[in-house]
């Protein structure tokens, strides 16, 4: 994986983390289940922090503008922007979460793939950050699964 590929992949992951923060945060108040609302709020806060952590890893070079790197995954790899918008507009958080599941699974796979392709020399700090983000995203997904029950 080149620096350019790494940067674009991390930028897409940061974009997805931002969408997850927005979506889950919006659903907190809409949920009538206190347990699910608490799980949504917890996960939303984590996704906000993850976005900032991933943004901090983006290179700022003559060829890389960190702000421009934060963009939707290419070719709808997770889902296209319209699908994210549709999920975000869901009035029922429980059914919205059902729709979000495959998108979240694809995001976890993308983080795992980045880790697999990362180079300790080029990506040392990123490896630590992405591994922590991935672990917390898995834990949050499990929490949401249990709370949505």
């Amino acid at each position: 994986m080149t620096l350019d590929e790494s940067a674009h992949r991390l930028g897409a992951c940061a974009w997805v983390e931002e969408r997850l923060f927005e979506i889950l945060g919006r659903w907190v108040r809409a949920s009538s289940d206190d347990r699910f609302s608490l799980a949504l709020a917890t996960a939303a806060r984590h996704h906000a922090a993850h976005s900032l952590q991933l943004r901090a890893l983006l290179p700022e070079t003559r060829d890389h503008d960190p702000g421009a790197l934060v963009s939707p995954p290419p070719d709808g790899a997770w889902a296209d922007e319209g699908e994210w918008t549709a999920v975000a507009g869901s009035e029922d958080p429980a059914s919205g979460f059902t729709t979000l599941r495959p998108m979240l699974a694809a995001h976890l796979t993308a983080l795992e793939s980045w880790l697999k392709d990362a180079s300790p020399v080029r990506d040392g700090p990123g490896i630590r950050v992405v591994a922590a983000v991935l672990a917390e995203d898995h834990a949050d997904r499990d929490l949401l699964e249990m709370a949505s029950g």
Side-chain angles (χ1 to χ4, degrees):
M1 170 171 64
T2 66
L3 175 64
D4 193 53
E5 291 167 334
S6 176
H8 282 94
R9 289 167 70 182
L10 284 176
C13 288
W15 186 90
V16 170
E17 290 285 351
E18 288 175 6
R19 298 299 77 72
L20 291 170
F21 162 66
E22 293 167 357
I23 292 166
L24 299 182
R26 190 173 297 125
W27 288 346
V28 170
R29 293 180 126 189
S31 176
S32 59
D33 180 341
D34 290 342
R35 207 175 84 215
F36 192 46
S37 287
L38 182 58
L40 288 166
T42 299
R45 281 192 310 274
H46 291 162
H47 289 301
H50 297 164
S51 174
L52 295 174
Q53 291 167 329
L54 294 174
R55 279 177 171 267
L57 296 173
L58 297 174
E60 188 167 351
T61 70
R62 181 179 58 231
D63 298 325
H64 300 100
D65 171 12
L69 290 167
V70 178
S71 60
D75 303 325
W78 282 267
D80 65 34
E81 279 191 81
E83 290 173 283
W84 285 101
T85 301
V87 169
S90 177
E91 298 292 326
D92 176 32
S95 68
F97 182 63
T98 299
T99 305
L100 185 65
R101 278 185 180 109
M103 297 158 77
L104 182 54
H107 176 57
L108 294 172
T109 299
L111 291 168
E112 290 164 353
S113 175
W114 186 90
L115 278 174
K116 181 178 87 35
D117 296 340
S119 162
V121 173
R122 181 193 58 238
D123 303 309
I127 290 170
R128 289 185 296 279
V129 169
V130 173
V133 166
L134 180 61
E136 197 162 55
D137 278 358
H138 272 291
D140 286 341
R141 183 208 49 203
D142 295 346
L143 177 66
L144 288 166
E145 289 288 351
M146 288 183 353
S148 70

